[in-house]
Amino acid sequence: MDKLILDASKVMWHKDRIDAWMRGERIAPITIDCALTTKCTYRCVYCYGQMQCINQFPSLERDVIMSFLDDAAEIGVKAISFVSDGESTCNPHLEEAIIRGKNNGLDMALGTNGFLLTDEELENILPCLTYLRFNISAGDVDRYCYIHGVNEKCYERVMHNIRTAVKIKKEKNLPVTLGLQMVLMPEFEDQIIPLTKLGKELGVDYLVIKHCSDDENHTLGIDYDKYDALINKLKEAESYSTETYQVSAKWSKILSHGHKCYKQCYGAPFIIQMSGSGLVAPCGMFFNEQYKDYHIGNIKEKRFKEIWESDRYLEVMRKIASDEFDANKMCGTLCLQHKTNEVLWKIKEEGYKIPDRKDMGSEPQHVNFI
C-alpha cells in the first residue's frame, strides 16, 4: 500500500486551480466538506458542533441534496466528503447521495461514528467511496463510552460494522480505503496504544491520530503545550505500521502549539465547508450565527451553483483573504484548511514555485481530497 498523505495538503497537485486563483479568477472548490444533517447519535466530549450550539436543524431533504451534488459536478468540484458538523448516517438519503455523487463523476468519502450503518448499506456504498473513515477515539470499551457519550452496545455495533466493511472490501477487492481517526486530547494518552492495536486487529488500512481543534475563545480549554509530552507514545504507535496498516500522527498540527504561519485564509476557495443545516461558509468554525458576516448562503434557499456564482461568495472569500482578517485571532485553531493555507501562503506571499508534475513523483492517493 502506498503511504497515505495524512499530514499535508495535496493542493499542489491542482496547479491549474492555483494558477487561476492567482490570476484572481473565481475557482470551483476542489473538495467540499459537508454534512447532510446537524443531528448526531453521539455526544463526544470534544464536539465542535455542540460547542457552536448548532445541532438543532432538520436534515437536508432529498431534492436539496441531489441538486447540490449535480451543481457541484457541473461547476467542476472534484470531491465531496460527508464529514462536517453532523453525523450524515442520520439522514435517510445518505446512501442515494453517495451513489448519485459517484455517478456524477465526483470522488465520494464518508466520515462517521459508524453506529447507524447496516450490512446492506455497506454493501451498496463501499464500491462508490474513495474512503470510509470511522471516527473513534478510544480502544478500550469503557473509555470509548465516556469519550463518545454512548453505551457499550454502541461500541459493539461499531466494531461489527468495521469488521463488516473490511470483509466486504476484501471479498469484492474494492479500492476503497478504510480508516480510523482518533481525535486526541492530551488526557486521552492512555488510549493511543489500545486503539493502535485495535485498528491492526480489525484489519483497517490506517489509523490517523490528530489534534483537537479549539475555537478562538478556547472554549474546550485545549492546552497545546501538553501534546509535547505525548511524542514518545505517538512514535510508539507509529511503530505498529506494516505494509498493510499505516499509523500516522498529524505531527505538524499536534506540535504546532496552535500557531499559524499565515495571516489570512487563502484555502477556503479550494476546500470549502457546508453545514448539515445547508449553510455554506468558508469554514466549519464559522457556522454559528455569531459569524454571520462570513455566511454565504443556504442550499435550502438557493441552488449551490447560484450561491457559488454570487457576488456574496466572492465578497466573503476576499474578506478572509484581506488585511482586515487575522487568522491567528479571528478564527479557531488548526482548521480543515490549515495545511492548504500553509502551502498557498508560501506560493502567494513567499514566491514558492510549484514543481513540474513530472518532478513531484507519483500522484498520491485521494488526490482530490486535498
Side-chain angles (χ1 to χ4, degrees):
M1 183 180 71
D2 292 336
K3 189 171 183 179
L4 293 161
I5 296 177
L6 299 171
D7 187 28
S9 172
K10 297 183 279 289
V11 71
M12 284 201 302
W13 289 89
H14 301 273
K15 187 175 183 295
D16 57 336
R17 291 283 155 108
I18 295 176
D19 289 344
W21 170 73
M22 289 287 285
R23 292 192 297 267
E25 298 175 15
R26 185 193 306 262
I27 62 168
I30 299 165
T31 310
I32 297 179
D33 180 282
C34 57
L36 301 181
T37 183
T38 57
K39 298 176 182 178
C40 189
T41 48
Y42 279 29
R43 288 295 178 266
C44 304
V45 298
Y46 46 72
C47 179
Y48 210 96
Q50 288 188 74
M51 186 170 66
Q52 290 197 320
C53 303
I54 55 178
N55 293 340
Q56 55 189 340
F57 298 97
S59 297
L60 297 180
E61 297 177 349
R62 179 191 177 279
D63 290 349
V64 171
I65 297 168
M66 302 309 156
S67 295
F68 160 70
L69 292 167
D70 293 347
D71 285 354
E74 182 180 342
I75 70 171
V77 174
K78 296 186 178 183
I80 302 286
S81 55
F82 289 135
V83 186
S84 198
D85 61 340
E87 175 52 53
S88 288
T89 57
C90 293
N91 189 305
H93 308 297
L94 171 66
E95 180 181 324
E96 184 182 1
I98 291 172
I99 295 170
R100 177 69 160 259
K102 180 66 173 179
N103 289 340
N104 281 354
L106 296 164
D107 287 348
M108 302 298 296
L110 173 63
T112 174
N113 59 43
F115 174 66
L116 290 179
L117 289 171
T118 66
D119 292 10
E120 181 181 2
E121 199 169 28
L122 286 167
E123 289 273 2
N124 293 334
I125 66 175
L126 284 173
C128 299
L129 292 174
T130 299
Y131 72 82
L132 171 58
R133 188 188 74 211
F134 292 88
N135 300 319
I136 172 172
S137 294
D140 296 334
V141 60
D142 56 335
R143 293 286 277 150
Y144 177 94
C145 293
Y146 165 73
I147 292 169
H148 294 294
V150 295
N151 59 39
E152 189 171 337
K153 290 183 179 180
C154 295
Y155 176 86
E156 293 169 354
R157 177 66 190 174
V158 171
M159 292 303 106
H160 166 82
N161 284 337
I162 296 173
R163 289 188 171 95
T164 299
V166 171
K167 181 173 180 286
I168 293 170
K169 173 183 174 172
K170 290 180 178 179
E171 288 180 348
K172 295 189 174 184
N173 193 30
L174 299 174
V176 60
T177 301
L178 302 177
L180 308 180
Q181 176 176 273
M182 178 186 196
V183 176
L184 177 63
M185 297 180 80
E187 54 265 39
F188 300 165
E189 178 184 5
D190 64 304
Q191 290 305 297
I192 295 174
I193 301 305
L195 183 56
T196 299
K197 292 179 178 179
L198 177 63
K200 192 170 188 176
E201 184 268 320
L202 290 169
V204 297
D205 299 308
Y206 73 88
L207 164 66
V208 59
I209 304 170
K210 61 167 288 186
H211 63 292
C212 183
S213 294
D214 208 343
D215 65 9
E216 66 270 32
N217 298 317
H218 307 291
T219 302
L220 291 175
I222 306 298
D223 184 347
Y224 288 99
D225 290 339
K226 289 186 177 180
Y227 281 116
D228 293 347
L230 308 183
I231 292 175
N232 290 337
K233 187 64 65 71
L234 290 170
K235 287 182 176 179
E236 180 185 350
E238 289 189 331
S239 73
Y240 282 82
S241 297
T242 67
E243 291 184 359
T244 57
Y245 177 53
Q246 178 179 332
V247 181
S248 293
K250 288 195 173 185
W251 289 109
S252 69
K253 289 187 175 183
I254 288 172
L255 300 181
S256 71
H257 295 188
H259 177 70
K260 303 170 184 176
C261 68
Y262 49 89
K263 297 178 181 178
Q264 284 80 45
C265 178
Y266 294 152
F270 295 83
I271 176 169
I272 197 172
Q273 290 186 274
M274 186 179 80
S275 168
S277 69
L279 171 69
V280 179
C283 176
M285 293 178 173
F286 289 151
F287 287 161
N288 190 279
E289 184 63 21
Q290 73 183 49
Y291 304 108
K292 62 183 179 180
D293 287 349
Y294 305 104
H295 294 177
I296 301 170
N298 193 300
I299 63 169
K300 288 183 176 181
E301 301 165 2
K302 288 184 179 180
R303 298 265 312 213
F304 179 73
K305 183 181 179 183
E306 186 178 352
I307 293 172
W308 176 74
E309 291 176 337
S310 69
D311 292 339
R312 176 63 178 170
Y313 186 90
L314 285 184
E315 177 189 346
V316 172
M317 292 301 175
R318 288 168 177 166
K319 183 174 183 177
I320 61 175
S322 71
D323 290 339
E324 65 180 281
F325 185 80
D326 186 340
N328 277 294
K329 296 179 180 179
M330 299 171 69
C331 58
T333 56
L334 307 176
C335 64
L336 179 72
Q337 292 88 352
H338 177 69
K339 299 304 295 183
T340 294
N341 270 327
E342 288 184 334
V343 174
L344 295 173
W345 182 265
K346 289 180 180 179
I347 292 171
K348 188 174 179 65
E349 304 297 335
E350 300 176 10
Y352 178 79
K353 301 296 183 183
I354 301 175
D356 291 337
R357 201 172 179 102
K358 61 181 176 61
D359 297 325
M360 293 174 65
S362 59
E363 183 176 284
Q365 293 189 61
H366 311 169
V367 68
N368 292 328
F369 295 95
I370 62 169

